Amino acid sequence: MTTMLHNPFYTAEVQGAYDMHSLGRFELEEGAVIPDLQLAVATRGVLNDDKSNAILIPTWFSGTHQAWDSLYIGPGRALDPEKYFIIIVNQIGNGLSTSPHTSTDDSIAMSKFPQVRISDDVRAQEQLLREVYGIEQLALVVGGSMGAQQTWEWAVRFPEKVLRAAPIAGTAQNTAHDHLFTNTLMDAITSDPGFNGGEYETHLDVASGLARHADIWAVMGLSPEFWNTEFWREDGPMSEGEPPFVSFDDFQARFVRPLFQMMDPNALLTMGWKWQRGDVARGTGGDLGSALARITAKTFVMPIDHDMFFLVTDCAKEQALIANSELRVLHSVAGHFGLNGFEKSFIDEVDANLRELLAAPVNGNDGVA
């Protein structure tokens, strides 16, 4: 048996408490099998007797349940654990759920980890909710970036199970531009000699590749306005006892690079592959209009105004194909990384939209907020 690689970034001490749930043998849409799929799940709140207060949150690229827990969930917020039972499911391959470096099964460990699709995540989540919690319908599915891709897939694949949907900064069908951008992110990692074909002994062996990966994110994940206005100064000091950032190079060196250098290379590659191929129209012969016509959920499509790869124009085209939907453009000078809470005004804007969406009646019933 392969020995799993220890990485302190993927621990409860860093990411916060979670539970592991086994789904057993799980067949993937590309034909491979995960012999025992384990999903890392964090829940907040209590499921009510009729199980009508459940909210599902899938995670984004490189992220875990921790980001949602620390930024978007809390008493008095739209995502209020005193009202709702909130389930945050870590996507397959993200470093907490079954992932290349955590598997002790030789058939799927490290470079042998199979190709996973967004649709695999959603099928696994549906099985989890049904088998573990007895949940057959969700008051809301909400996710950002790759979490938005999963939100779209949920609304299309299981329309009868999703009353409300809020895809934030993510499209239903990935674009060629996004695919090419993700290629560069992945090439930065695999071109590092320390990557060793995916068979490195520690993520530290791939530090240079992860640094280049971070550099690309700095260009595309953060907007020109973020750098040109020197908004990065507002994010320092990093922690108590550390000096403020003094230049954009300093911010890049002490914030962006170290963040990604803590992560597992194979986990990032697994997520990148599925991100590139996110497409709800796979089940309708490539017809996006037909796929989106399946959605019955009250839907708020929420792109970010300065996002450079999930563009407002792309999201608006998709929203126009959905009945009972609205386009709600969010505002963040940080661009796509606005999801990470650089601005309180952005978090408040998301909160206000989700509060309104949860209060909206669906299927003839009053809202649940």
Side-chain angles (χ1 to χ4, degrees), residues 18-51:
Y18 59 91
D19 296 313
M20 296 296 288
H21 293 283
S22 171
L23 298 187
R25 185 179 189 275
F26 192 82
E27 296 182 1
L28 301 169
E29 292 197 355
E30 288 295 300
V33 171
I34 295 178
D36 181 20
L37 176 58
Q38 303 271 337
L39 293 183
V41 182
T43 62
R44 303 293 179 261
V46 177
L47 186 63
N48 60 13
D49 290 341
D50 64 4
K51 301 184 179 182

Side-chain angles (χ1 to χ4, degrees), residues 110-111 186 188-201 205-206 265-266 269:
M110 298 297 282
S111 65
M186 298 166 78
I189 293 171
T190 59
S191 62
D192 186 335
F195 179 67
N196 191 30
E199 296 296 332
Y200 45 87
E201 295 183 1
D205 292 345
V206 200
N266 279 328
L269 294 173

